[in-house]
Amino acid sequence: MSNPLDSRAAELLKLLVERYIHDGQPVGSRTLSRMAALGLSPATIRNVMADLDELGFVASPHTSAGRIPTTRGYRYFVNNMLAPEPLSDNEREHIADTLVPHRARSEADLVQAASALLSQLSHMAGVVTVPRRNLAILRQVEFLPLSGNRVLAILVVNQAEVQNRVIHTERPYGADELGRYAALLNEQFAGRDLVSLRNALMSDALDTQNRLNLHLRDAASMAEQAVTGERAPDYVLAGGSNLMGFQELADVQRLRGLFDALDRKRDLLNLFDQCLGADGVQIFIGDESGYQVLDECSVVTAPYFVEGQVAGVLGVIGPTRMAYRRIIPLVQETARVLTQGLKTGG
């Protein structure tokens, strides 16, 4: 983000965000005037706050005299003012002792332990996706006509594993037509894992229909049937009940929607999928996630690796007023040590 704030406004925004993160109460001008070392009067601070309000960095909740940060205010703070707080030696040792075992442990045990560790140290919800390295990767697809409205889909996955699926179509297809469909799919999708391929075919169906020709639409429909049943990557959640302790998340309807989304998993997995190619920590603040149920939450994530390849994502879910300066190093270190643990453990 460009820097639209002068030093005085930026300093007051920083103080307001830090105070609100600490106690969760709207911050008034008199409070800021006592905190600031700028020698500003409450009246001057009120004027600066009004400017910040107009620019969308802060907002006044209900009839409160104080203000709270908006998503834009938090984003400006995180991008321009944040000084991460190093983990203590005890915390680092605890993470290492938990995730770099002296004896071999399964991947499932390590993922469970990492999730619980994130929850314990953040006092929020910890999430770790199950390693993706065992997902089937599509190398080639072929279609052969069968009697009636049936087609045999032959999927070559991973190195040379062959999977056969019989799919039912709305009409009979000839061998030449099916050959063209297979060629289109191989050109578009070879190298994708079957789960992400299926998700892409489902979410892009209408777009594919409009953008590409009728042949590829039919081919995509066949491919979707052929890969249906592939189990999507899962995740392990710990400490979801911690979210009930934050006043801004305590609305019953909001909590119900949030817990439904965490239980259903699809939305969060889609969000975490966006982080698989990220270079380090990703932070989604409020509505930046694109999922309404997370509008009052922030999600801090980092990828972890197996055999040099991105295998999954871990992170912390909490209110937008989470202590970013502490959570970011926690997520970074846990991802680093989990990578090491998966190398030496399961």
Side-chain angles (χ1 to χ4, degrees), residues 35-200:
M35 294 172 62
L38 301 175
L40 302 176
S41 69
T44 301
I45 291 176
R46 278 195 297 273
N47 289 336
V48 176
M49 286 295 107
D51 291 341
L52 288 173
D53 199 323
E54 189 173 338
L55 289 168
F57 290 97
V58 299
S60 301
H62 311 303
T63 58
S64 169
R67 287 182 169 87
I68 64 174
T70 60
T71 296
R72 189 181 189 203
Y74 281 122
R75 175 52 65 189
Y76 190 90
F77 171 79
V78 166
N79 285 0
N80 299 287
M81 306 170 179
L82 193 66
E85 175 184 303
L87 298 178
S88 69
D89 290 342
N90 285 341
E91 288 171 326
R92 288 182 179 275
E93 288 176 12
H94 182 39
I95 294 171
D97 288 345
T98 303
L99 299 181
V100 184
H102 300 295
R103 57 184 176 78
R105 291 169 65 186
S106 69
E107 286 184 349
D109 285 345
L110 288 170
V111 166
Q112 290 274 4
S115 180
L117 192 63
L118 286 167
S119 171
Q120 175 194 351
L121 294 178
S122 70
H123 306 293
M124 292 178 250
V127 183
V128 184
T129 64
V130 172
R132 299 172 62 100
R133 65 175 175 178
N134 296 323
L135 292 181
I137 304 298
L138 178 69
R139 300 303 175 192
Q140 185 178 347
V141 61
E142 292 183 38
F143 295 123
L144 297 177
L146 298 176
S147 60
N149 293 355
R150 296 183 307 147
V151 170
L152 176 65
I154 304 170
L155 305 177
V156 181
V157 299
N158 299 329
Q159 297 308 311
E161 179 187 342
V162 178
Q163 299 181 10
N164 295 328
R165 316 275 174 90
V166 175
I167 59 180
H168 297 269
T169 58
E170 294 182 356
R171 64 175 177 84
Y173 287 87
D176 289 346
E177 193 175 15
L178 292 175
R180 289 195 299 273
Y181 291 175
L184 285 167
L185 287 168
N186 290 326
E187 180 183 349
Q188 293 282 326
F189 297 115
R192 297 277 292 270
D193 70 76
L194 297 190
V195 171
S196 66
L197 168 56
R198 180 169 183 264
N199 290 340

